[in-house]
Amino acid sequence: MSTTPRANEALTPVDARSRAFSGMNLASLWFSLGVGLLVMQVGAYLMPALSPAEALWAIAAGSVLGAGLLAWVGKLGCDSGLASAGLMHAVYGRRFANLPVLLNIVQLLGWGAFELVVMRDSTVAIARQAGAMQAGWWPYVATLLWGGLLVALISGSMVRLVRQLISRIALPLVVLSLLWLSWQFMAMAQAQGWQALWSRPGQGGMGVLPALDLVIAMPISWLPLVADYARHGKSGRSALAGTWLGFGIANIWCYALGVLVALVLPSSDLVAALLLAQGGLIALSLILLDEVDNAYGDVYSGAVSAHSMAPRLGIRAWGLVVAVLCTLLALVLPMHSLEPFLLMLSSVFVPLFGVILGRLALGAPILQLLQSARAVHAVPVALWLAGIALYHLLAQLAPQAGAALPTLAATFAAGWLTRPR
């Protein structure tokens, strides 16, 4: 029996001849990943604290900036052929990088469980709307069914899933669903009077800049994942454009739809409000099916990160482990408080990738830095930890000014000034 150790795929560049993703493939993938009931739910959360004009400004600005940051990291992954774990190793050192990689695995387990909870609750709501028999154990059955589908998908090829299932089938269906729901709720808004809705003042409790932080938090939550997919892109320029365009449009659309739903049908239950639209049952069912790829994205990247730390187990095998763990967490954990979770992730990953971009994004030889990486790179580590402290300090001392953009700018500048010469 061969004793040759398994190659660490996460820290080995994808060969240029093996790359399959065009810019359109990545645009389809990130549009699909950007669409989700969680995004609409956070969009609805902006109301009634803000006026509609303030909410839309925060959504547009936050989506363009956040998706641009996501695309920039994706370009690094495509140019180098490295997964996100590889970028972390190049900047923070071979040993220390395991800490942010481990934090990424933890957040992906949380996100994967979140997605399964949303899918379970939506399934129960749809079944109730359709008049299906309900029982106390039905939520557990729904969770296991969605978890089983996730296990089946992770057993296949990620590249084939993106190119054949998402680009050709899932994307057209979810676009039609969003168009239908947008049309229905715009008609409701028209019936209630656009002018009255648009001129409704915000009730306070959240400023525009904190709302911007909340919008940016969604694309930032994908930062540790984007290179895992972009490394399969054919060119850095198309990876940048496709990721930025796909995720930016989806983020703006879903946040804005959440705001529109909250305006015309104020409710603490977004799914119930969506079901009140004509044809809402069908549209919501299609969006729910699209939600599977969000959970898949979390599980696949969690598997890549876990493989980078323990390469004896392949990415596909790690994917099965992560999918099962997400399903178990969804069965036992209460997961209905999104804002603290999103903002905590931002406080960790905004400065983490601010430093990475500052040190790598302006023509640095990434592969050489990875090959010559020491166990710990003290300066980037110190900048990251200082960035986390700065984020929380700003949130405490100037909550109305926002924390994400100042922290990102500070850590990027510090990373660039201290980059290897």
Side-chain angles (χ1 to χ4, degrees), residues 179-191:
L179 285 171
W180 179 257
L181 288 172
S182 300
W183 175 264
Q184 290 298 315
F185 283 99
M186 288 175 67
M188 293 183 195
Q190 180 68 33

Side-chain angles (χ1 to χ4, degrees), residues 173-187 253 257 274 277-284 286-287:
L173 291 176
V174 76
V175 168
L176 287 174
S177 301
L178 289 175
L179 285 171
W180 179 257
L181 288 172
S182 300
W183 175 264
Q184 290 298 315
F185 283 99
M186 288 175 67
W253 197 344
L257 183 55
L274 291 174
Q278 183 179 357
L281 181 64
I282 297 174
L284 184 60
L286 293 176
I287 292 176

Side-chain angles (χ1 to χ4, degrees), residues 119-310:
M119 292 153 63
R120 174 196 70 201
D121 291 350
S122 302
T123 302
V124 171
I126 289 171
R128 186 178 297 116
Q129 178 79 6
M133 184 180 297
Q134 298 297 304
W137 43 261
W138 175 244
Y140 299 101
V141 173
T143 304
L144 292 173
L145 288 174
W146 286 117
L149 177 58
L150 198 54
V151 168
L153 290 175
I154 204 67
S155 302
S157 164
M158 182 275 291
V159 172
R160 188 177 299 115
L161 178 75
V162 172
R163 296 183 67 191
Q164 297 182 2
L165 182 61
I166 294 178
S167 296
R168 298 180 183 179
I169 300 174
L171 182 66
L173 291 176
V174 76
V175 168
L176 287 174
S177 301
L178 289 175
L179 285 171
W180 179 257
L181 288 172
S182 300
W183 175 264
Q184 290 298 315
F185 283 99
M186 288 175 67
M188 293 183 195
Q190 180 68 33
Q192 294 180 25
W194 273 110
Q195 186 60 38
L197 291 175
W198 182 256
S199 59
R200 186 178 297 175
Q203 296 181 10
M206 180 189 297
V208 175
L209 291 178
L212 187 70
D213 270 3
L214 200 53
V215 175
I216 290 175
M218 195 61 73
I220 282 175
S221 70
W222 290 100
L223 279 178
L225 292 76
V226 60
D228 298 341
Y229 302 95
R231 68 195 298 228
H232 296 276
K234 296 178 180 178
S235 79
R237 181 175 297 181
S238 65
L240 175 76
T243 303
W244 199 345
L245 186 66
F247 197 91
I249 292 175
N251 210 56
I252 291 173
W253 197 344
C254 287
Y255 265 101
L257 183 55
V259 168
L260 181 60
V261 173
L263 275 174
V264 299
L265 286 175
S267 171
S268 59
D269 188 344
L270 177 74
V271 172
L274 291 174
L275 285 171
L276 291 176
Q278 183 179 357
L281 181 64
I282 297 174
L284 184 60
S285 299
L286 293 176
I287 292 176
L288 180 59
L289 288 174
D290 180 73
E291 199 86 24
V292 176
D293 63 28
N294 292 37
Y296 176 91
D298 297 326
V299 169
Y300 176 79
S301 279
V304 174
S305 294
H307 171 76
S308 76
M309 297 180 67

Side-chain angles (χ1 to χ4, degrees), residues 43 46 54-64 212 215 251-252 255-256 259:
L46 300 179
E54 289 172 333
L56 291 182
W57 183 91
I59 289 168
S63 297
V64 170
L212 187 70
V215 175
N251 210 56
I252 291 173
Y255 265 101
V259 168

Side-chain angles (χ1 to χ4, degrees), residues 380-392:
V381 170
L383 294 177
W384 175 42
L385 297 177
I388 296 174
L390 176 62
Y391 189 103
H392 288 282

